[in-house]
Amino acid sequence: MLRYTLKRFFWALVTIWAIITLTFIIMHSIPGNPFAKEGSMPKAVYDNLQHHYNLDKPKIVQYGLYLKSLIHLDFGPSMKSQSITVNDYIKNGFPVSLHLGLQAMVIAICFGLIFGVIASLNKNRWPDYLSMILAIVGISVPSFILATFLINYFAVKWPIFPVATWTSWSHTVLPSLSLATMPMAYIARLMRSSMIEVLSQDYILTAQAKGLGRSVVIIKHAIRNAILPVVTVLGILIANIVTGSFIIENIFGIPGMGEMFVRGISNRDYPVILGSTVFYSVILILLIFIVDVAYTWIDPRIKVTGESK
């Protein structure tokens, strides 16, 4: 287990390094720089800014200096807001984005599993058809379209929930639903297919023949095995929620890291873009690793197989 963990840790570091390198190359290959829009800036001031942020140095030197600062967990200063650093942006924005992402993920997992189980237990009946119609709609409609629809009906026409701020629980409802609908629909479809397959297995029939109650068979035997494919895709779904939150945060005016990232791109703020990319990459890789480890808890056979090898 230790060897497997160290191997995964090594490849995680390689992946993060590759992401940093590719993002750095892409950002610096685009013509111009963060101060190109300042047309009325005197040349002396422009040259001083270039020197202050090391933009006058060769790209390989800039790359080395950035890697050195990352080792000390310093993402550098913002080039557009000199009074604040990228670390400050992350410190202020990440708790908001984390709250939104976790709330959306809880909604997606809970309701996705419930709808999937209900559909599988009522195969080819109206609960099954209704659940799958809702799932297809959830997958087909982009989150920003759904967000606009929710704002129009539940904040404008019927002022039930507020928007454009982040001060109370009611402000989190609409953005969380907008972000959770797509992964919830995907989980429901996947859980339905997996449950239908598991319910036809011999060990389920054996458990029923032993006289176990229907609820015990479904919860203890069927769901535990049927949920494995859902766990497999959780890493991808979490990535979709993270990247989707960039758009949702801007639509709802949420002061999270998504807003910071979009503003950094529009301003060509290299440290903000690189810092956001590196930070999110570390979070996503860590979550994918946790998902892999969760396999051994859900299905002990995987752990036994690994030990035998």
Side-chain angles (χ1 to χ4, degrees):
M1 193 65 183
L2 177 61
R3 193 156 129 201
Y4 169 78
T5 303
L6 292 175
K7 183 178 179 181
R8 291 281 302 175
F9 180 73
F10 169 75
W11 284 112
L13 292 179
V14 172
T15 304
I16 293 172
W17 170 80
I19 292 172
I20 294 171
T21 304
L22 288 174
T23 306
F24 184 90
I25 293 173
I26 292 172
M27 283 304 306
H28 286 78
S29 63
I30 301 174
N33 59 66
F35 310 110
K37 295 181 180 179
E38 309 293 340
S40 59
M41 181 183 298
K43 187 177 185 305
V45 176
Y46 178 82
D47 292 338
N48 286 334
L49 286 173
Q50 291 280 96
H51 179 72
H52 178 73
Y53 291 107
N54 298 315
L55 295 178
D56 57 343
K57 293 181 171 60
K59 296 294 188 295
I60 187 66
V61 176
Q62 296 182 42
Y63 176 69
L65 291 173
Y66 187 71
L67 289 181
K68 182 180 178 180
S69 65
L70 283 182
I71 294 175
H72 297 90
L73 300 180
D74 180 13
F75 293 101
S78 170
M79 292 183 177
K80 287 295 184 179
S81 302
Q82 287 77 18
S83 61
I84 191 170
T85 64
V86 179
N87 291 58
D88 294 329
Y89 273 128
I90 294 174
K91 181 180 178 180
N92 297 329
F94 179 65
V96 176
S97 297
L98 179 64
H99 182 182
L100 175 62
L102 287 178
Q103 189 164 304
M105 203 64 211
V106 169
I107 294 172
I109 293 174
C110 291
F111 286 95
L113 293 178
I114 291 172
F115 290 153
V117 171
I118 291 175
S120 65
L121 297 177
N122 296 274
K123 183 181 177 182
N124 296 330
R125 287 186 283 181
W126 71 264
D128 182 19
Y129 297 140
L130 179 60
S131 298
M132 290 304 99
I133 289 173
L134 293 176
I136 292 172
V137 172
I139 293 175
S140 303
V141 179
S143 60
F144 61 90
I145 298 294
L146 180 61
T148 306
F149 174 84
L150 293 176
I151 291 173
N152 183 49
Y153 283 95
F154 296 103
V156 178
K157 291 187 176 181
W158 307 312
I160 302 175
F161 298 105
V163 293
T165 50
W166 189 264
T167 56
S168 66
W169 176 83
S170 59
H171 292 89
T172 69
V173 175
L174 295 184
S176 296
L177 288 176
S178 304
L179 204 53
T181 301
M182 190 282 293
M184 178 176 65
Y186 190 81
I187 290 173
R189 287 175 59 86
L190 190 60
M191 189 64 183
R192 174 188 179 273
S193 302
S194 183
M195 275 289 291
I196 290 174
E197 181 181 354
V198 167
L199 289 173
S200 64
Q201 298 296 318
D202 291 338
Y203 66 87
I204 297 295
L205 301 177
T206 303
Q208 292 173 340
K210 287 181 178 180
L212 295 179
R214 180 176 173 82
S215 59
V216 175
V217 173
I218 292 172
I219 295 173
K220 188 174 181 180
H221 297 280
I223 292 180
R224 184 171 182 178
N225 289 280
I227 204 174
L228 278 173
V230 176
V231 176
T232 305
V233 301
L234 278 183
I236 300 173
L237 294 179
I238 291 171
N240 287 334
I241 283 182
V242 169
T243 54
S245 69
F246 293 170
I247 302 173
I248 296 300
E249 286 180 16
N250 277 270
I251 291 176
F252 286 92
I254 298 173
M257 287 190 63
E259 182 184 18
M260 175 190 80
F261 185 75
V262 173
R263 188 168 61 247
I265 292 177
S266 63
N267 292 331
R268 295 286 304 280
D269 199 335
Y270 297 149
V272 171
I273 297 171
L274 287 168
S276 304
T277 304
V278 172
F279 185 79
Y280 269 124
S281 299
V282 172
I283 295 295
L284 291 177
I285 292 171
L286 177 62
L287 290 173
I288 292 172
F289 175 76
I290 292 174
V291 167
D292 289 341
V293 174
Y295 262 77
T296 60
W297 178 78
I298 295 173
D299 191 350
R301 293 173 299 178
I302 298 174
K303 185 176 180 180
V304 171
T305 304
E307 288 176 352
S308 65
K309 290 182 180 180

